[in-house]
Amino acid sequence: LVIFTSISTKAEASEWILIEDEGNVRFIGALEGAAFRGRFDVFSAMINFDPANPGDGKIIGEVKMNSADSGDAEYDEYLMEPDWFNPEDFPNSRFESERIETLDNGTYAAHGKLTIVGVSQPITMIFEFESSEGQAKFSGTFEVKRLLFGIGWDATNWIANEVGVQIELKLQQ
């Protein structure tokens, strides 16, 4: 379950709720040099964010790991093993922002911690946020170095260490 919640102690932030079936969370890596893509099928989201006051928000996200779907049953079996996502012991991954800032190019950076399989590492998610008339589009990306989390085998010549994560959400107030 992916839950993006931005919490603020100030009244300026705006609470946003995911429009059902209008978003996705994808991951992209490389297997033997070729792109390996997948997505998390089950997620929900809520964001509390005001572009005029980005520092007032806080983004928290959770992903249900056993909802990973690469489109290949054999790969999906590997992802569920203890060496990889290990959803039996660690059913969710979690991102929690500690600070949000505006970047020079009109995008935002949410600096925080990502926890996967019980290991936490600092991550910066770069995102765009466009809103109009009570609806918004949230597009975020970050990179995971899987070996920092102890995910998978050390053979980076076979499976790349870097995994991109892309988040696309449509929201409403």
Side-chain angles (χ1 to χ4, degrees):
L1 195 47
V2 174
I3 303 170
F4 289 96
T5 307
S6 180
I7 303 169
S8 172
T9 57
K10 300 182 181 179
E12 290 86 5
S14 298
E15 188 170 319
W16 298 90
I17 299 169
L18 175 70
I19 299 173
E20 294 278 333
D21 301 321
E22 292 289 328
N24 59 70
V25 178
R26 295 175 285 183
F27 54 91
I28 302 156
L31 177 63
E32 296 180 351
F36 173 80
R37 299 176 186 274
R39 67 179 187 269
F40 292 96
D41 288 331
V42 179
F43 66 93
S44 63
M46 193 171 52
I47 295 175
N48 191 345
F49 180 75
D50 179 357
N53 299 298
D56 289 346
K58 180 174 177 125
I59 298 170
I60 298 173
E62 287 190 13
V63 175
K64 189 154 183 80
M65 299 306 283
N66 70 359
S67 72
D69 181 1
S70 70
D72 183 301
E74 184 179 358
Y75 292 163
D76 292 346
E77 279 186 48
Y78 282 120
L79 291 175
M80 298 304 124
E81 291 181 356
D83 287 347
W84 291 88
F85 288 170
N86 192 8
E88 190 170 310
D89 292 333
F90 303 99
N92 301 314
S93 69
R94 178 181 172 95
F95 171 81
E96 184 170 347
S97 69
E98 298 168 342
R99 178 174 57 92
I100 300 173
E101 67 177 323
T102 303
L103 301 178
D104 291 336
N105 59 3
T107 60
Y108 305 92
H111 305 278
K113 292 212 184 287
L114 177 66
T115 303
I116 308 174
V117 297
V119 177
S120 296
Q121 294 288 334
I123 293 287
T124 298
M125 176 173 48
I126 305 300
F127 69 96
E128 296 178 1
F129 187 89
E130 301 170 13
S131 64
S132 176
E133 299 179 14
Q135 295 203 345
K137 181 180 177 185
F138 178 99
S139 301
T141 62
F142 59 90
E143 182 178 87
V144 174
K145 293 194 184 281
R146 65 179 179 79
L147 293 177
L148 290 176
F149 295 90
I151 297 173
W153 309 303
D154 291 343
T156 56
N157 60 333
W158 187 55
I159 302 172
N161 185 31
E162 296 79 16
V163 178
V165 177
Q166 300 173 335
I167 302 161
E168 298 283 336
L169 306 172
K170 289 189 181 177
L171 310 163
Q172 64 187 5
Q173 287 188 311

